[in-house]
Amino acid sequence: MARLHEYQAKALLSRGGITVPRGNPADSPEVAAKVASDLGCPVVVKIQAWTTGRAALGGVGFADTPEEAAALAQKMLDMKVGQFPVEQVLIEEQMPPKRELFVSLTIDGKNRQPMLLISTAGGSGVEDRAGQVATVPCDVHTGPDRDTITTFLARTDLGKDVQNRITDTLAQVFDVAKTVEATSLEINPLAVMDDGSIVALDCRCTIDDYAVFRHPELGIEIARELDHPPTKLERIAYTVEQDDHRGTFFFAQMATTAKPGSKGLAGFHGAGGGGSMMSMDAITNEGFTIANFTDTSGNPSAAKVYRAARIILSQPDLCGYFGSGSGVASQEQFWSAYGLAKAFLELDITIPVVVRLGGNAEDRAVDILHAAAKSLRVPVEGYKKTDPPAKIAQRFASLVAENDATIWTPRKPRVPEFVESNHAMSFPITGGMVWIDTNAWPASKDAIMQHSSGLFKDDNGTPALTIEAEDFKSKDSECVMCEVECRNAGVDGFFVQLDVLGL
């Protein structure tokens, strides 16, 4: 899901005809003071961060003057939520409510329709006040069932006019959510003011990931449910996912430094959500801090797994690379192994690697990793589905301990000298280029033709494609396989250049 900040969600409500407090976001004390001055009234200052309990964190404050608003903004912009800085605050006019309601629109998976939850006593403890809460089914074409709302509100002490305004507002909430294809829209509180008007004082809204491309007007940079502004690496990873739809790739940074008392910062690479969660528990139980959550699953290409590994290894201070996910993944694990092996070889990895590739062709996958490990200075160990995460996490801890507290420093990948030389031939692939050293061709051609799934042939002493160049562009995985197999066999002269834009 893609979350919107409060000020963004309120802008949607306003465009949908729902009253919200006057205000604007600010990214500096100076802008905060200007917004407060323009409003010309006491204001509330709120951090714009994807977290609950902002008031308890010190992320909500009240100011009577622009100077006080600036001071509050300065204090809040110095805050971190988790490990990520607050980059914006919202400055709004203060609007003390007479009464607070809670409204939440979600997609009910069981009933396969939108559902409105309404409480006339605010949102605090709503789970425990069933008698004060109405659940209103919504038709996807006509909106919430007005009879259900009317019956519920009639049992309250709210005046008839207020009841009617609330009913109209709920219909507008549905329309707003439908327009932007929101998976949830929560207003807490929806305030009844002294004059009987209805005002949305706070709002949380998430958009369906798969609908984001239809709504460029929302300015959603990354369709991910992160608890922080997207980092540089998350932006790069999201681009990789958008550019290659073979399998899935999810990357989120979790920590940039190891917790006090931790054994170190571990790069994490899972495959499959449930198995990844179990594996993260295993590595955490061994005393490590997890630097990131990464998932490549659904039969990802070797190129996609390679790019995922490159992004994981762009994080500094890692003590090791731990990969483990589902034990029975329905994907050809040898493609993942080729992608990982290429990344480890190219970066000449110097921290221990433990990877569990349970699933289809896992024997071949483990053999690929172990063959690549012979060229590396550190252990790279592959495991199968019969090896539980707890066991390999213990092994990971032992290898990290034996590596003399070495930590990872990101580096550029190694590129063979013949690349872009006058004795190199190149063949475009999607997102990169395949390079062949023509000087080495007489000695390397047999291995290249053997390991490239028949993509290359010898044409009077020079390398040539056996298929049309356009068809060849999608053969990046086969080329990665060829490079790794040639390298494991000690054959040089074949290299796959895979771009990772932004690294």
Side-chain angles (χ1 to χ4, degrees):
M1 292 179 287
R3 292 183 179 181
L4 299 180
H5 283 303
E6 178 188 355
Y7 75 89
Q8 296 168 313
K10 282 180 168 173
L12 295 177
L13 296 181
S14 180
R15 287 200 289 273
I18 300 170
T19 303
V20 299
R22 294 179 300 132
N24 273 310
D27 57 6
S28 70
E30 293 75 18
V31 175
K34 176 69 165 55
V35 174
S37 177
D38 291 344
L39 290 171
C41 62
V43 298
V44 57
V45 184
K46 297 190 275 188
I47 61 171
Q48 297 301 281
W50 293 315
T51 184
T52 57
R54 288 180 296 176
L57 295 173
V60 179
F62 299 92
D64 292 328
T65 66
E67 292 75 19
E68 291 179 6
L72 277 175
Q74 180 65 71
K75 181 179 178 183
M76 293 180 187
L77 291 170
D78 288 339
M79 291 175 60
K80 282 188 173 182
V81 175
Q83 297 201 37
F84 299 91
V86 173
E87 296 180 341
Q88 287 179 306
V89 295
L90 175 61
I91 316 295
E92 284 187 332
E93 61 178 328
Q94 293 184 24
M95 298 187 74
K98 179 181 180 182
R99 184 160 179 171
E100 297 184 358
L101 287 75
F102 170 82
V103 174
S104 175
L105 176 72
T106 58
I107 306 300
D108 186 325
K110 182 179 179 181
N111 293 300
R112 303 178 70 180
Q113 67 179 140
M115 200 71 75
L116 261 176
L117 195 68
I118 313 165
S119 166
T120 56
S124 180
V126 68
E127 302 87 353
D128 304 320
R129 293 184 283 103
Q132 296 175 300
V133 176
T135 302
V136 183
C138 302
D139 184 280
V140 294
H141 300 292
T142 60
D145 184 86
R146 296 183 76 92
D147 290 341
T148 302
I149 297 172
T150 301
T151 301
F152 172 69
L153 293 177
R155 295 200 302 264
T156 70
D157 57 354
L158 295 166
K160 186 63 179 175
D161 288 347
V162 171
Q163 292 180 29
N164 290 338
R165 292 189 188 106
I166 293 172
T167 303
D168 291 341
T169 300
L170 296 179
Q172 292 171 314
V173 168
F174 174 84
D175 289 341
V176 168
K178 181 179 177 181
T179 299
V180 296
E181 301 181 70
T183 54
S184 70
L185 197 162
E186 178 182 300
I187 301 175
N188 183 27
L190 181 68
V192 180
M193 310 306 290
D194 285 334
D195 62 359
S197 62
I198 309 299
V199 180
L201 294 185
D202 199 353
C203 185
R204 296 159 56 90
C205 182
T206 59
I207 308 298
D208 185 349
D209 288 1
Y210 299 104
V212 165
F213 77 97
R214 286 193 288 269
H215 299 283
E217 77 280 6
L218 298 177
I220 295 173
E221 193 174 11
I222 291 183
R224 294 280 190 255
E225 189 174 8
L226 301 170
D227 63 354
H228 54 263
T231 65
K232 176 185 176 183
L233 290 181
E234 288 164 347
R235 291 186 177 97
I236 293 170
Y238 189 70
T239 300
V240 170
E241 168 65 3
Q242 296 305 296
D243 290 346
D244 186 349
H245 292 282
R246 297 168 295 178
T248 61
F249 172 31
F250 184 99
F251 173 86
Q253 282 189 282
M254 300 173 62
T256 54
T257 57
K259 295 178 181 176
S262 166
K263 292 179 180 176
L265 197 60
F268 180 81
H269 193 157
S276 294
M277 294 298 107
M278 185 168 61
S279 300
M280 292 173 79
D281 284 345
I283 199 69
T284 301
N285 290 340
E286 284 298 319
F288 291 93
T289 300
I290 298 175
N292 64 278
F293 172 75
T294 297
D295 173 39
T296 51
S297 54
N299 245 353
S301 65
K304 198 167 198 174
V305 173
Y306 161 83
R307 291 185 169 101
R310 285 280 312 278
I311 291 169
I312 292 171
L313 290 169
S314 293
Q315 300 170 110
D317 301 331
L318 302 181
C319 66
Y321 192 108
F322 185 77
S324 177
S326 170
V328 289
S330 181
Q331 60 188 45
E332 303 304 325
Q333 295 287 33
F334 63 87
W335 289 125
S336 293
Y338 280 125
L340 290 169
K342 175 175 171 59
F344 300 152
L345 290 166
E346 245 180 53
L347 295 171
D348 188 21
I349 194 166
T350 54
I351 51 176
V353 177
V354 169
V355 179
R356 174 174 175 260
L357 288 168
N360 302 345
E362 60 180 15
D363 291 340
R364 181 180 173 184
V366 169
D367 288 346
I368 292 165
L369 288 176
H370 287 174
K374 294 176 182 176
S375 302
L376 294 167
R377 294 176 284 173
V378 290
V380 175
E381 297 186 359
Y383 292 89
K384 308 174 187 177
K385 60 176 173 286
T386 51
D387 302 301
K391 170 189 168 183
I392 65 169
Q394 291 173 3
R395 178 59 180 161
F396 178 79
S398 298
L399 293 175
V400 170
E402 294 168 6
N403 201 36
D404 297 327
T406 301
I407 60 172
W408 175 248
T409 300
R411 62 187 65 169
K412 291 185 178 298
R414 296 190 294 192
V415 177
E417 291 183 357
F418 70 85
V419 170
E420 297 187 357
S421 71
N422 57 10
H423 54 90
M425 286 188 67
S426 61
F427 302 87
I429 55 175
T430 301
M433 191 75 73
V434 172
W435 296 90
I436 296 179
D437 185 349
T438 55
N439 286 349
W441 178 247
S444 65
K445 63 181 181 181
D446 288 343
I448 292 173
M449 289 189 289
Q450 175 189 351
H451 296 300
S452 65
S453 300
L455 292 172
F456 289 95
K457 64 181 180 182
D458 181 69
D459 185 10
N460 295 318
T462 59
L465 296 176
T466 61
I467 62 175
E468 295 296 325
E470 192 63 27
D471 296 333
F472 179 76
K473 290 181 178 177
S474 64
K475 304 299 182 182
D476 50 358
S477 288
E478 288 81 356
C479 292
V480 169
M481 174 179 68
C482 182
E483 179 191 317
V484 173
E485 291 293 351
C486 285
R487 181 153 184 162
N488 288 344
V491 175
D492 295 323
F494 188 92
F495 181 72
V496 184
Q497 178 183 327
L498 293 174
D499 301 329
V500 188
L501 299 178
L503 286 188

